[in-house]
Amino acid sequence: MNGFYMSQPSNRVFSGVQPTGNLHLGNYLGAIRKFVALQESHDCIYCVVDMHAITVWQDPAELVRNTREVTAAFIASGIDPSKHIVFNQSQVGEHAELAWIFNCVARMGWLNRMTQFKEKAGKDRENASVGLFSYPTLMAADILLYRATHVPVGDDQKQHLELTRDIAQKFNNDFSAQIAGFGHGEQYFPLTEPVIEGPATRVMSLRDGTKKMSKSDPSDLSRINLTDSADDIAKKIRKAKTDPEPLSDSIDALKARPEAENLVGIYAALEDSSKQAVIEQFAGKPFSEFKPALADLAVARLEPINSEMRRLMDHHDHVDAILANGANRAREIASQTMKEVREIVGFLGARAR
Ligand code: TYM
């Protein structure tokens, strides 16, 4: 049996973004910008997770458009699809197959604890889709299909990544005899490390510093969309909720001022510095001075991405070709993992497929 198994990669990154419209500054600073940086040191796989999107009903034509738009945002932000893999999830059927197996590994009690399900399902839990409940097992499948070692995400995904580790560990334990018997060491799936770092792991709403910036907030003023014009960006920052005090001179003092802390974090992330550095620059200055500086910085960073996204959206054949090519490359890895997993689990005929 030796030689049949793929060896475990030591530095593979996987992450995903849902094509559900309104990509915003939180998605960019919390995730996409990190995706770009990790390309230097890791083999990266970036996925537009359209199968996750349909856990809540999506208009089919919009889903196609949004899938292209997230892809365009990846490329416009600096992800290189010739060096790394960019694809949309539904083109690689193995994601669904591994998710099924993980549905049988994960426990109801684990999923019952997921706060994101509770938030998204709201009061009408009986009416939520089964997919929305089992969503985290699909996410674990996304990551472990490629046996990824590192997953860059915003803070809101932390619990899902802990669950991914629990699933990997239980699978490794449940099938330890098969895994060891094939001379593959003790661990088939790695215990993936989350990469949640920097000053903007949780970008907050511009209207309420205690709420996360989100695609689904009914107020468009609450978020900066990657498709916003320079004027819109400046207007939204001008109108962002703040308090009347000038900027604090210490991080501790900022903690009691969520709106101010959020804007400082955004500035730091856009500038690639730290909250401390921003405070040193602006301590004691009023928001009437800080906000225009933030608006200029945000426009300078986002405008080139915005115009490249628009250009790519006008050439969607090119975007579709990138996804098709990425899917072919992803499938090569995914199909190998699934062959092995089928055999580990005891599905007859696994090798012949
Ligand atoms: P999604 O599509 O909601 O968000 C994409 C990424 O953006 C991050 N993010 C934020 N970061 C900081 N501040 C915010 N306000 C903010 N809002 C969103 C998210 O943390 C995420 O990194 N379940 C995932 C998609 C997914 C995935 C995966 C991620 C599916 N499979 C496998 C990693 C690995 C989600 O819904 O992200």
Side-chain angles (χ1 to χ4, degrees):
M1 294 274 178
N2 280 343
F4 174 61
Y5 282 106
M6 250 187 339
S7 59
Q8 166 63 48
S10 60
N11 69 342
R12 182 174 286 156
V13 163
F14 182 97
S15 197
V17 175
Q18 292 197 61
T20 41
N22 294 333
L23 266 187
H24 54 69
L25 190 63
N27 300 128
Y28 177 65
L29 296 177
I32 300 173
R33 226 172 117 86
K34 294 191 194 138
F35 299 177
V36 175
L38 285 162
Q39 295 181 110
E40 294 297 315
S41 48
H42 291 70
D43 292 330
C44 303
I45 304 176
Y46 295 129
C47 185
V48 186
V49 290
D50 47 6
M51 287 161 62
H52 277 92
I54 64 162
T55 54
V56 174
W57 191 82
Q58 304 293 319
D59 177 273
E62 277 292 296
L63 183 59
V64 170
R65 213 197 84 81
N66 289 334
T67 300
R68 290 183 178 134
E69 190 170 274
V70 173
T71 312
F74 283 176
I75 312 295
S77 302
I79 290 171
D80 181 347
S82 64
K83 296 214 177 84
H84 301 272
I85 296 179
V86 174
F87 74 108
N88 59 311
Q89 189 181 27
S90 60
Q91 292 207 53
V92 180
E94 282 83 353
H95 287 250
E97 189 180 354
L98 187 57
W100 176 255
I101 293 174
F102 287 170
N103 275 341
C104 303
V105 172
R107 307 289 91 184
M108 288 293 287
W110 300 357
L111 289 171
N112 274 330
R113 284 196 285 275
M114 295 294 113
T115 53
Q116 189 155 311
F117 172 74
K118 291 179 197 163
E119 278 161 23
K120 288 203 174 167
K123 289 199 180 71
D124 196 7
R125 216 177 278 185
E126 290 292 303
N127 205 26
S129 73
V130 176
L132 191 67
F133 182 72
S134 66
Y135 178 114
T137 62
L138 178 59
M139 182 161 160
D142 299 339
I143 297 165
L144 296 175
L145 199 46
Y146 304 95
R147 295 156 89 206
T149 53
H150 295 85
V151 181
V153 282
D155 179 69
D156 61 340
Q157 297 300 315
K158 197 170 171 189
Q159 198 184 30
H160 290 159
L161 293 185
E162 282 160 8
L163 185 90
T164 300
R165 290 166 69 97
D166 290 343
I167 291 176
Q169 191 142 38
K170 186 163 187 315
F171 182 95
N172 291 341
N173 287 341
D174 286 357
F175 299 103
S176 60
Q178 289 74 8
I179 293 167
F182 293 148
H184 196 64
E186 301 200 332
Q187 194 168 281
Y188 182 71
F189 286 123
L191 301 184
T192 302
E193 293 291 335
V195 182
I196 305 175
E197 302 166 344
T201 55
R202 191 174 183 81
V203 176
M204 308 309 274
S205 156
L206 299 181
R207 306 301 297 164
D208 177 350
T210 62
K211 261 177 40 190
K212 199 179 66 170
M213 184 178 285
S214 116
K215 291 172 185 167
S216 55
D217 194 312
S219 165
D220 197 52
L221 284 176
S222 70
R223 66 181 159 261
I224 293 176
N225 301 303
L226 292 189
T227 49
D228 280 345
S229 66
D231 283 352
D232 283 339
I233 295 173
K235 181 180 84 186
K236 288 177 178 180
I237 292 176
R238 201 168 54 243
K239 294 198 163 189
K241 187 177 164 205
T242 43
D243 54 49
E245 303 299 314
L247 274 164
S248 323
D249 58 6
S250 79
I251 298 226
D252 272 353
L254 261 189
K255 290 227 152 66
R257 303 171 63 193
E259 284 85 13
E261 186 179 20
N262 188 38
L263 295 185
V264 167
I266 291 173
Y267 193 104
L270 286 169
E271 198 189 40
D272 233 342
S273 66
S274 63
K275 287 185 187 172
Q276 185 59 41
V278 178
I279 284 180
E280 278 163 22
Q281 200 182 335
F282 289 99
K285 303 255 168 72
F287 280 104
S288 57
E289 210 169 302
F290 180 66
K291 279 182 168 179
L294 176 59
D296 286 349
L297 179 62
V299 168
R301 289 286 183 276
L302 299 179
E303 178 69 8
I305 296 174
N306 178 314
S307 63
E308 179 62 2
M309 274 174 76
R310 264 184 280 126
R311 194 187 70 78
L312 287 164
M313 290 301 280
D314 286 342
H315 294 88
H316 63 68
D317 288 353
H318 174 60
V319 173
D320 295 2
I322 288 174
L323 292 173
N325 174 272
N328 286 337
R329 289 155 63 206
R331 214 176 290 117
E332 270 177 37
I333 306 172
S335 64
Q336 182 65 27
T337 305
M338 273 324 295
K339 261 190 195 165
E340 297 169 359
V341 169
R342 288 183 204 117
E343 180 146 333
I344 290 171
V345 170
F347 289 165
L348 191 118
R351 291 247 190 143
R353 284 179 61 179

